[in-house]
Amino acid sequence: MVIPMSYAISLDSLLNLPAMGIPVVNYSPESTWEFGAAAQGYFRLPNQERTSIVQLDGTYSLNRQWYINAQGNLYFGRKKHTSQPYTILHNSAPHSWQLQFRAGYSNRPATYYGTYHDSHFANQGNTNIGMLRKGTPYQLQRGYLNIQAPIYVGEHIAVGPMADILIAQFSIQDTYSTVHPLVQVALGAIAQYDSRDNVFYPTKGIFAKLSAAAAYTNRIEIPAGQQATINGLLSADFRHYVPLPCDLVFAWQFKAQMMLSEYDISYLTLYPMLPRLGGQDGIRGINSDMFRDDIMMALQAELRIPIWSIFRAAVFAGIGDVYDYHNWHWEIPKVGYGLGLRATINKAKVNIRFDVARSNVDPRWNNINAYSFYLTATEAF
């Protein structure tokens, strides 16, 4: 069949589309299959050469879990001219700044594992490596809003304020239920360094971000009867992208999150707010609800391999753990690893990403529940 020229769609025209929508499919043993969609829009604000992005996504799982999420990264202010509009460009011009936001709501029947180093849960369902634990069903409703506004003070350096609001209400089967919603409001500051050559698929450069905030949390019921209302929230994110021969890219990331308090509050009341390990953007192959505690640290690396045209492959691995701030000790680290396929969908180098991963949490090679599958847009880091 000959397609008339007026109806033919070239690959080049597809790569220039200002918006796109893709299906989202994830699988993990806890949620089973999740199905949904993600829509992204790309545009440049006045006097800007860098591309802003706004995304809306949501899924529904076979375990009746669902979420909806909106997020964006908007670039404001005057930027110097370039013939490569999707590259990262910085200068010290006044009023050059970003607005980063993320907001959403989820209603997720899931599994409560307790904090990892809580002795009450540490011995439940151990395997021969002592990590795969049985949990307790629980219901969690969670709403969140995060806003950051870094202002560039140099070619690659930006500082600015941040605000974070988290509202959660949950009940654990035959164990615990929040009478009133838990509300956490955090105010703080961020500092970032960004020399990447591209926002969505960097091939060289460094990205680093530090944040510190004071968080007020209502209705914190410490078993001893003490009241802790102000917590410290700290996070660090460092990424390095190294170009190699044959268009290979080696990328690695170190990430840490801490929730610090005068009292040991790693208990039921703050469970939804504690740092967690794993997930589609963390150490893939590890469920993001299984390991939570006061402190999370993770290191992951990825080798990105060109295949043909818009297609690329990835080999990745990560290692990390969570820790009790008041009872720090080392145990067997959690390791995730896997393979992935990428397809570039526009000239901004946004990719559709499909990853298959497993971990040392479940050592069974012949069981589908030991594997995690992710189909989504954009890179993990």
Side-chain angles (χ1 to χ4, degrees):
M1 177 184 293
V2 178
I3 301 177
M5 184 61 68
S6 60
Y7 294 99
I9 300 177
S10 67
L11 176 61
D12 189 67
S13 63
L14 284 174
L15 294 178
N16 279 307
L17 290 176
M20 68 92 186
I22 64 166
V24 174
V25 181
N26 294 326
Y27 174 84
S28 66
E30 289 75 20
S31 64
T32 67
W33 290 100
E34 290 185 82
F35 303 94
Q40 295 180 332
Y42 312 93
F43 52 91
R44 276 179 255 162
L45 294 170
N47 299 319
Q48 261 295 331
E49 291 292 342
R50 290 185 297 174
T51 302
S52 296
I53 180 174
V54 174
Q55 174 178 317
L56 179 66
D57 59 281
T59 66
Y60 186 86
S61 83
L62 298 183
N63 274 356
R64 295 179 296 172
Q65 301 169 325
W66 64 271
Y67 82 88
I68 186 168
N69 174 77
Q71 62 188 58
N73 196 350
L74 308 179
Y75 294 92
F76 298 89
R78 187 174 300 278
K79 288 293 182 184
K80 54 189 177 185
H81 177 73
T82 176
S83 60
Q84 300 178 351
Y86 299 110
T87 56
I88 291 281
L89 293 176
H90 306 292
N91 63 17
S92 57
H95 310 303
S96 176
W97 62 287
Q98 288 176 254
L99 176 62
Q100 304 166 5
F101 67 89
R102 185 169 181 264
Y105 181 83
S106 63
N107 188 338
R108 301 183 68 86
T111 303
Y112 172 76
Y113 297 95
T115 57
Y116 182 58
H117 296 97
D118 185 340
S119 60
H120 180 67
F121 295 91
N123 297 318
Q124 290 196 20
N126 287 341
T127 64
N128 59 334
I129 58 172
M131 285 188 284
L132 184 62
R133 299 166 298 145
K134 295 179 181 178
T136 303
Y138 84 102
Q139 181 78 20
L140 172 64
Q141 295 87 39
R142 183 172 178 267
Y144 53 88
L145 172 65
N146 178 270
I147 297 176
Q148 301 180 5
I151 302 170
Y152 285 98
V153 296
E155 185 178 4
H156 303 297
I157 301 173
V159 296
M162 64 158 288
D164 188 89
I165 300 174
L166 178 62
I167 302 174
Q169 188 159 2
F170 69 106
S171 58
I172 302 171
Q173 179 177 300
D174 301 325
T175 303
Y176 180 85
S177 178
T178 52
V179 179
H180 302 284
L182 299 171
V183 179
Q184 178 175 277
V185 178
L187 297 175
I190 64 169
Q192 73 176 38
Y193 175 90
D194 193 352
S195 64
R196 297 173 297 173
D197 63 339
N198 184 277
V199 182
F200 308 109
Y201 191 81
T203 60
K204 63 181 179 179
I206 291 174
F207 175 85
K209 178 185 284 188
L210 298 174
S211 70
Y216 167 79
T217 308
N218 72 332
R219 305 183 187 280
I220 303 303
E221 301 169 3
I222 307 302
Q226 298 163 316
Q227 190 78 7
T229 57
I230 303 296
N231 306 308
L233 304 179
L234 303 174
S235 70
D237 185 354
F238 181 88
R239 312 175 191 182
H240 190 196
Y241 304 89
V242 183
L244 301 175
C246 302
D247 292 328
L248 296 170
V249 177
F250 178 75
W252 65 276
Q253 177 195 40
F254 173 77
K255 189 172 185 179
Q257 296 177 334
M258 305 181 186
M259 185 172 185
L260 308 178
S261 175
E262 180 182 357
Y263 306 110
D264 186 357
I265 55 176
S266 298
Y267 197 63
L268 297 176
T269 50
L270 278 185
Y271 180 72
M273 303 176 182
L274 294 173
R276 56 187 179 176
L277 185 73
Q280 68 179 20
D281 295 330
I283 298 182
R284 283 154 283 181
I286 298 177
N287 176 262
S288 60
D289 278 328
M290 182 171 286
F291 300 107
R292 294 179 185 250
D293 221 310
D294 301 323
I295 299 172
M296 183 279 296
M297 292 192 294
L299 176 68
Q300 61 176 332
E302 187 169 297
L303 181 63
R304 299 172 179 175
I305 308 165
I307 300 177
W308 173 76
S309 184
I310 64 173
F311 298 101
R312 296 177 176 85
V315 180
F316 55 86
I319 183 171
D321 209 343
V322 293
Y323 304 95
D324 185 344
Y325 173 66
H326 295 272
N327 185 24
W328 187 286
H329 61 278
W330 296 93
E331 295 188 10
I332 299 175
K334 319 304 178 291
V335 177
Y337 50 91
L339 303 171
L341 183 66
R342 311 288 185 264
T344 303
I345 56 178
N346 57 29
K347 288 189 175 181
K349 293 188 178 181
V350 175
N351 291 332
I352 295 177
R353 169 166 62 103
F354 176 69
D355 289 332
V356 179
R358 55 173 286 112
S359 71
N360 65 342
V361 175
D362 189 336
R364 299 171 295 177
W365 285 91
N366 60 347
N367 191 313
I368 188 64
N369 288 335
Y371 296 83
S372 297
F373 303 88
Y374 311 96
L375 175 62
T376 185
T378 69
E379 296 300 318
F381 64 95

